[in-house]
Amino acid sequence: MAEIVVWIEQVNGAARRSSLEAVGAARTAGAEVIALLSGEAAGTAAAALASAGVATTILLTGQANPDAIAAAAAEIVREASAPAFLCAATTLGKDVAARVAAQLDCVILSDCIALQVDAQGIHVQRPWLAGKCIATLRSSAPVLVATTRVNAFTPSQETRAPVTSERALGPTKTQVVEVQA
């Protein structure tokens, strides 16, 4: 299996458990993981990914917002010829994943609870009809873009020494001018 790109949400230098579960989903499928992190203290969170089975970590530097993160993620997916992009099905994760799907001209499969790889490609399972049935789906798009349901996967406990690099986020369509509290 090739590499899967996973966007990692972090808060104050700690990766969110739901993002570590997305890494676990990719590792369960037998893929190497390229982890993308952004925001303040992303470097601290990246160091902690050594115990989560991540092979490569890319720190996205600059003004982080969903638009900029998605543009960078789509570019990295293309460069790596990755068959999939994953992130946790959080509010921000769903926002980023939808934008990545648009950048890659792919569909998004959200709230996935299982990920399997076979000769035909990557399959995901997700609940339908308020959980009354479980659908197994495969995208015909060149890249599978999916969000993983929180608490559906187990974080990987594999210790590795990830290669870390930085990439500057590009200009965005939205800039914060002022915040009033």
Side-chain angles (χ1 to χ4, degrees):
M1 174 102 223
E3 298 170 310
I4 291 180
V5 178
V6 180
W7 182 60
I8 307 293
E9 287 185 66
Q10 61 88 21
V11 177
N12 299 325
R16 293 186 67 175
R17 179 180 165 83
S18 56
S19 291
L20 297 176
E21 292 170 4
V23 171
R27 292 298 297 144
T28 300
E32 295 294 326
V33 175
I34 299 174
L36 310 180
L37 294 99
S38 59
E40 292 183 33
T44 304
L49 293 178
S51 62
V54 172
T56 305
T57 303
I58 301 174
L59 303 176
L60 304 175
T61 61
Q63 183 182 358
N65 63 48
D67 191 41
I69 292 166
E75 185 177 316
I76 291 165
V77 166
R78 284 188 202 99
E79 288 172 5
S81 298
F85 172 82
L86 301 175
C87 62
T90 61
T91 302
L92 189 54
K94 288 179 182 181
D95 190 3
V96 169
R99 292 168 191 260
V100 170
Q103 293 264 344
L104 296 173
D105 194 26
C106 298
V107 299
I108 180 172
L109 300 173
S110 57
D111 286 329
C112 298
I113 59 171
L115 187 74
Q116 300 137 358
V117 179
D118 64 19
Q120 296 176 332
I122 303 172
H123 302 266
V124 298
Q125 288 184 334
R126 62 180 303 268
W128 275 3
L129 302 170
K132 291 181 177 52
C133 63
I134 303 297
T136 300
L137 306 166
R138 181 180 67 239
S139 173
S140 62
V143 177
L144 171 77
V145 177
T147 62
T148 56
R149 181 173 267 193
V150 177
N151 296 322
F153 295 94
T154 303
S156 174
Q157 301 298 315
E158 181 183 4
T159 301
R160 305 187 77 177
V163 176
T164 302
S165 63
E166 290 187 7
R167 180 177 296 216
L169 291 169
T172 64
K173 298 174 189 168
T174 305
Q175 293 181 345
V176 177
V177 177
E178 179 182 2
V179 177
Q180 296 181 0

